[in-house]
Amino acid sequence: MEKSDLIYVAGHAGLVGSAIVRSLNQSGFHNLLLRTHAELDLTCQHAVEKLFQEYRPDYVFLAAAKVGGILANWERSAEFIYENLMIQNNVIHQSYVSGVKKLLFLGSSCIYPKFANQPISEDELLSGKLEPTNEPYAIAKIAGIKLCDSYRRQYQANFISAMPTNLYGPNDNFDLETSHVLPALMRKIHDAKVNEDDTVVVWGSGQPRREFLYIDDLADALLFLMGNYSSEGPINVGCGLDISILELTHLLMEVISYQGLIEFDQSKPDGTPRKMLDTTKLDKIGWRPKVSLKEGIELTYNWFLDNVAKHFGQ
Ligand code: GDP
């Protein structure tokens, strides 16, 4: 990418998109095309076509998506499959039509089978049944990878697909019903501390294992991939370490300084037992994460205190 190139970051207000914008700005890329959800409905084919015809961006980071935690994915699966299919169909197709030089599509580690071999290499894609709680979302994301691959094969479009592990950091969603586990537990533990509650509730058994990547590390990896990688199929982005939800709870309690008890709500699903990504492919082209989980949690908690807790008068 040249500093003068026009770069469209779809979904720039979200967790991933906002980190990409920060990273682009820090690297001297300031010619950015950004539209909020209110300004542009990416599920609308005509609106997306108009944007691409008018601005003709050189590069596209497709970070716009309907995302959510285990419960939201289960209860609102129609929205998750419909909106994601529409967004990616529109953005990927218009990127081809308007001659975008390179597009990076973002998926998720839930595209891999529920019982994939661990750590999960890119070859596990479509080798088994998906985790039911997020199957509709995962199928949309798999369709996105296949779109990129097909446009590459048929039209020689330089479209790539990155599959990040579970992400967290500033601008995350801290809503207890729809968020992912790390921000949800951060908020619950913070609230328990402020309210002097004896216990904090953790969904499921606490036994599932998850890998967590700090969002600025992800953005750094995505810029690296834009510059150094052009190939079909997904490429995993992770940190190579996973922990159980119980261990994560203890780490959060340590950072937040809360000494209460942990209660398990077994009426909530555990989801997939383990999803740790094999990052050999990314390692080989020379990218490694920099932020440890503890550091990342501290940075996120400071952001939470300044930007979320304040609004609740805590
Ligand atoms: P997943 O990675 O797609 O399963 O999505 P989540 O990040 O939502 O959940 C990961 C794991 O954390 C699951 O086993 C959840 O049951 C567990 N978990 C424990 N407490 C919570 C919570 O308060 N919110 C969420 N979203 N998950 C929780």
Side-chain angles (χ1 to χ4, degrees), residues 152-163:
R152 169 179 293 279
R153 210 170 306 138
Q154 187 175 346
Y155 305 129
Q156 292 76 51
N158 194 359
F159 295 171
I160 60 172
S161 305
M163 297 304 118

Side-chain angles (χ1 to χ4, degrees), residues 69-71 134 166 176 179-181 184-185 188 201-204 208 210 245 268-272 275:
I70 193 163
L71 203 61
N134 52 32
N166 295 44
L176 295 183
S179 59
H180 282 104
V181 60
L185 289 180
K188 284 187 195 172
V201 177
V202 171
W203 292 356
R210 295 287 183 273
I245 299 302
K268 296 288 195 302
D270 265 346
T272 223
K275 47 177 172 180

Side-chain angles (χ1 to χ4, degrees), residues 1 4 10 31 51 75 107 183 285 297:
M1 290 188 298
S4 57
N31 192 15
L51 182 92
E75 290 178 343
I285 52 172
I297 288 177

